[in-house]
Amino acid sequence: MLPTALFRPLAAAALLLASAAQAAPASDVAVPFYTPVHALEALYRQHYQPQAQAFTQASAALVPALQQGCAASGAQALDAARARWREAMVAWERLSAVQIGPLVERRSARRIDFQPARPELIARSVKAAPTDADGMARVGSPAKGLPALEYLLFTQPAAPGSAECRFAQAVAADLQREAAAIEADFQALAGREWDEDGEAASNAFGEFINQWLGGIERLRWADIEKPIRSAEGRPVAYTRQAAAATAQAWQARWQSLAALSAGPARPLGEGLVPVEAYLRGRGLNPLADELAAQVTRTGQAIERLGNGAAPARTEAPLAAARELGALKSLLEKRIAPALQVALGFTDADGD
């Protein structure tokens, strides 16, 4: 056995070596050389397919909750439906954080999350009393989807047994149908065989990078900063306010953006390939280190926003917007050129 006087410095040295190993930059770790095909296969199978499935399940749970609530009585009759709405909203935010594939082709954001809901159009639709898919097809986007349900559950809660409650059930059923269609499309993409030498994979990977940029910008500007800049002394009109779920929505969106942005490299076929890992696979370790550090800073700023209603003051949201802006700038100026991806316009562009 070593003498105590000798053991202590050896133990201290061992702790220092262990700490140094943990702090060693990820750039020292060998990673596979990922191609666009590897990234896409992991993206559809490990991210979009399970996220789409989660949204389908959450949307499906909303339908019976509304049926039961509308058949009950009392002020708490729709509480279960409100809880299921929050779950569906969070699942949608995670799925739609970066909109590619069927989310773009089906224009799902307009069908599911047209902002803001239009009370006058909801009132007209209640009178039309649609009961099936054909009837809901004639209802305009501003009167259906998650914002319309938020209005009917939180802003002007529908009375059980009322025409408004029956319309809410029709909106929920329509939401479930769209969710199921999205899931089916992503399931098909998860099983697709890509041609390693073809242009389709390169184009699809380029679309992902562009929509990744668009997702960051949508959270930065449309969701956080624009409502603040537009308030001009009035109360800030964020989305999800009626449900007191604004920051909860921001957190859910960021969780997907962060997972797609930064994370460890894994053997081929064994997990998601975030952009950080893709960069490392191409030997762009300093740039990957920059991305990982900026994602960490952005995550810390967003964490300070809480996980419920929007903060009462604007300092923390504006700080988060600045970090999102820095992430966007890194993508535009450094990452996209390094990956030889041309950036274009997305749905997040504009004022």
Side-chain angles (χ1 to χ4, degrees):
M1 179 178 293
L2 290 172
T4 302
L6 179 60
F7 177 79
R8 285 175 179 165
L10 286 175
L15 285 172
L16 286 172
L17 286 172
S19 298
Q22 291 175 354
S27 56
D28 292 343
V29 180
V31 298
F33 178 84
Y34 298 111
T35 67
V37 169
H38 298 143
L40 290 170
E41 287 178 344
L43 192 66
Y44 290 127
R45 294 171 187 172
Q46 304 295 330
H47 182 79
Y48 282 101
Q49 187 176 20
Q51 296 289 359
Q53 184 180 40
F55 180 50
T56 299
Q57 292 171 347
S59 301
L62 181 55
V63 174
L66 268 166
Q67 290 172 342
Q68 293 166 14
C70 288
S73 60
Q76 312 304 316
L78 292 175
D79 279 359
R82 294 184 182 102
R84 301 294 83 77
W85 179 91
R86 288 191 175 91
E87 292 167 2
M89 180 274 293
V90 166
W92 165 249
E93 293 286 4
R94 289 174 178 157
L95 172 62
S96 65
V98 177
Q99 297 182 18
I100 63 172
L103 295 173
V104 176
E105 294 158 8
R106 296 183 60 83
R107 303 194 69 184
S108 294
R110 183 176 180 84
R111 294 171 180 234
I112 291 170
D113 202 17
F114 186 97
Q115 296 281 359
R118 304 286 169 77
E120 66 281 3
L121 187 55
I122 292 174
R124 289 203 298 270
S125 300
V126 167
K127 291 180 180 178
T131 58
D132 56 16
D134 289 339
M136 286 303 299
R138 293 188 289 272
V139 173
S141 295
K144 56 186 178 182
L146 290 168
L149 285 171
E150 183 179 13
Y151 179 84
L152 292 166
L153 287 171
F154 298 94
T155 307
Q156 293 290 332
S162 66
E164 287 78 7
C165 222
R166 288 190 292 275
F167 178 66
Q169 293 177 66
V171 173
D174 186 66
L175 184 71
Q176 181 185 10
R177 286 189 291 269
E178 180 63 16
I182 293 169
E183 182 187 0
D185 286 349
F186 273 122
Q187 186 172 3
L189 281 169
R192 176 174 175 173
E193 295 291 333
W194 296 88
D195 180 1
E196 191 71 63
D197 299 322
E199 292 185 0
S202 294
N203 291 340
F205 182 72
E207 178 199 3
F208 162 69
I209 295 296
N210 272 271
Q211 294 299 98
W212 175 46
L213 170 64
I216 294 167
E217 178 63 0
R218 184 161 59 99
L219 181 55
R220 180 198 75 83
W221 176 247
D223 285 3
I224 298 178
E225 189 168 348
K226 184 180 179 181
I228 295 172
R229 303 300 183 195
S230 302
E232 297 180 343
R234 299 183 300 273
V236 182
Y238 297 115
T239 59
R240 319 296 190 207
Q241 277 188 314
T246 299
Q248 184 181 25
W250 293 342
Q251 294 285 356
R253 184 99 54 84
W254 173 248
Q255 287 169 4
S256 278
L257 286 169
L260 295 170
S261 300
R266 299 177 178 87
L268 295 177
E270 293 189 12
L272 191 63
V273 182
V275 178
E276 177 197 349
Y278 192 89
L279 291 168
R280 295 194 190 285
R282 294 181 171 251
L284 299 169
N285 292 311
L287 187 53
D289 291 339
E290 280 190 63
L291 174 60
Q294 184 57 50
V295 169
T296 296
R297 287 191 293 270
T298 307
Q300 290 169 345
I302 291 177
E303 187 67 25
R304 288 191 282 271
L305 302 177
N307 194 31
R313 298 173 63 88
T314 61
E315 289 84 355
L318 287 174
R322 284 193 296 273
E323 294 297 344
L324 285 162
L327 180 58
K328 176 196 174 190
S329 179
L330 178 62
L331 193 167
E332 287 178 318
K333 296 176 181 178
R334 304 282 306 285
I335 294 175
L339 296 179
Q340 298 182 325
V341 171
L343 297 179
F345 291 102
T346 74
D347 288 343
D349 293 310
D351 57 9

